[in-house]
Amino acid sequence: MSTEPATSEAPGALLSLFYLFVFLALVFMVAAAGGAITATSVDGWYQTLQKPPLNPEPWVFPIVWNLLYFMMAIAAWLVWRSAGSFDKAGFALALFGGQLSLNLAWSIVFFGLQSPWLGVADIIMLDAAIASTIMAFLAHSRLAALLLVPYLAWTLFATYLTIAIAVINS
């Protein structure tokens, strides 16, 4: 398990910087898409739902999610950089892409389709996908794996909120 790329396999500085921006752009494009979908219901349908105890104030969500998305992009970039290529990091980055897709899917089903129960099904798969991604990232970079731990913790909290909203509003 490595935390730094091997010197002989490390990508050049310009290529590394380029891919850092690629990972940031990819993750924040998904974040923007999820935010756009969320915005369609957050001030309307979502306000009509009963919320569980511990439901944060609305301003908390964008702050936390932007920090988590930034950490996710850095983690994926560290895995790519540590592996030295997409071929060597392919499985870990494929898991990363899968969990990122499930992350976006949650916004689609919960806010877009206004279906808390589909949100429950999606977020449970998302929890498992994040945990799997952390384990796969650990094989390449301890720091990358650690950067995803707050994301898993927040998503587990979001799982509580999603399940509680589905149950309370059934």
Side-chain angles (χ1 to χ4, degrees):
M1 173 174 34
S2 147
T3 57
E4 294 297 320
T7 312
S8 62
E9 296 179 18
L14 283 177
L15 184 62
S16 185
L17 186 61
F18 171 76
Y19 277 112
L20 171 59
F21 286 113
V22 167
F23 282 112
L24 285 165
L26 173 68
V27 168
F28 278 99
M29 283 190 313
V30 169
I37 293 163
T38 298
T40 65
S41 294
V42 77
D43 289 330
W45 168 79
Y46 183 71
Q47 293 303 320
T48 68
L49 298 174
Q50 299 231 347
K51 312 299 186 306
L54 306 178
N55 195 68
E57 293 296 321
W59 61 266
V60 172
F61 292 99
I63 293 170
V64 171
W65 276 114
N66 279 309
L67 178 60
L68 294 174
Y69 282 124
F70 178 76
M71 292 167 61
M72 290 164 56
I74 298 300
W77 173 72
L78 286 170
V79 166
W80 168 80
R81 193 181 72 152
S82 178
S85 73
F86 284 102
D87 288 343
K88 293 178 183 172
F91 178 70
L93 292 176
L95 286 174
F96 180 81
Q99 68 78 27
L100 196 58
S101 298
L102 287 167
N103 181 304
L104 176 58
W106 184 88
S107 293
I108 293 168
V109 299
F110 188 89
F111 285 108
L113 300 178
Q114 300 179 356
S115 177
W117 284 109
L118 281 178
V120 169
D122 179 86
I123 204 163
I124 289 171
M125 291 186 292
L126 177 58
D127 294 335
I130 296 168
S132 297
T133 303
I134 290 170
M135 296 308 296
F137 276 23
L138 192 57
H140 296 281
S141 168
R142 179 181 168 103
L143 178 57
L146 289 173
L147 283 170
L148 293 184
V149 171
Y151 173 40
L152 178 59
W154 182 257
T155 305
L156 289 169
F157 176 63
T159 302
Y160 151 74
L161 293 174
T162 304
I163 292 170
I165 288 171
V167 169
I168 292 169
N169 293 281
S170 289

